[in-house]
């Protein structure tokens, strides 16, 4: 029950116009709070295998961590269209950047691009 209270804190009353919008907003908030945590093994792996902390590594860490800001932006603006567009663009950018600098076609970030495209489709149909 506490998890629902935390998630609901991020959702402005203007966003809740129906059961579908509430469910979508809750899923959005949960995935953007938990997503960067789930991505941490990739960040740790890159740190371990990289010979040095490069600007590319720092950009990846900041790009992944930036997803934590999206629930706060949702709370401040109440605009689901804005935050879902930022989420789609952010994930596509991070995955393309990571793919380019870490392995190209065999990069572990390439599947994130597929996920970002699917998210864009689902969020914006």
């Amino acid at each position: 029950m506490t998890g629902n209270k935390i998630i609901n804190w991020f959702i402005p009353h203007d966003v809740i116009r129906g059961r579908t919008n509430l469910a979508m907003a809750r899923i959005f908030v949960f995935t953007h709070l938990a997503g960067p945590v789930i991505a941490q093994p990739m960040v740790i792996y890159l740190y371990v295998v990289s010979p040095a902390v490069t600007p590319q590594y720092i950009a990846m860490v900041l790009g992944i961590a930036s997803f934590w800001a999206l629930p706060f932006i949702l709370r401040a603006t109440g605009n689901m269209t804005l935050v879902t567009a930022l989420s789609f663009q952010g994930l596509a950018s991070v995955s393309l950047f990571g793919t380019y600098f870490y392995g190209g076609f065999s990069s572990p970030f390439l599947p994130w691009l597929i996920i970002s495209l699917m998210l864009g489709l689902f969020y914006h149909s």
Side-chain angles (χ1 to χ4, degrees), residues 43-58:
V43 170
I44 293 167
Y45 172 75
L46 291 177
Y47 179 78
V48 169
V49 299
S50 295
V53 175
T54 62
Q56 294 85 0
Y57 175 79
I58 293 168

Side-chain angles (χ1 to χ4, degrees), residues 12 15 73-74 76-84:
V15 173
I73 295 171
L74 173 62
T77 65
N79 189 340
M80 278 297 292
T81 304
L82 171 68
V83 293
T84 56

Side-chain angles (χ1 to χ4, degrees), residues 7-96:
I7 289 172
N8 288 341
W9 182 83
F10 288 100
I11 303 170
H13 292 291
D14 297 343
V15 173
I16 306 169
R17 293 193 189 114
R19 214 169 172 189
T20 304
N21 290 339
L22 177 59
M24 186 171 84
R26 281 182 176 162
I27 291 169
F28 179 86
V29 170
F30 175 76
T31 56
H32 287 80
L33 292 176
V37 174
I38 294 168
Q40 289 310 305
M42 182 69 72
V43 170
I44 293 167
Y45 172 75
L46 291 177
Y47 179 78
V48 169
V49 299
S50 295
V53 175
T54 62
Q56 294 85 0
Y57 175 79
I58 293 168
M60 286 299 299
V61 171
L62 293 175
I64 292 168
S66 71
F67 286 92
W68 277 319
L70 293 174
F72 292 97
I73 295 171
L74 173 62
R75 179 161 172 81
T77 65
N79 189 340
M80 278 297 292
T81 304
L82 171 68
V83 293
T84 56
L86 290 173
S87 174
F88 165 69
Q89 291 172 355
L91 187 54
S93 298
V94 166
S95 61
L96 285 172

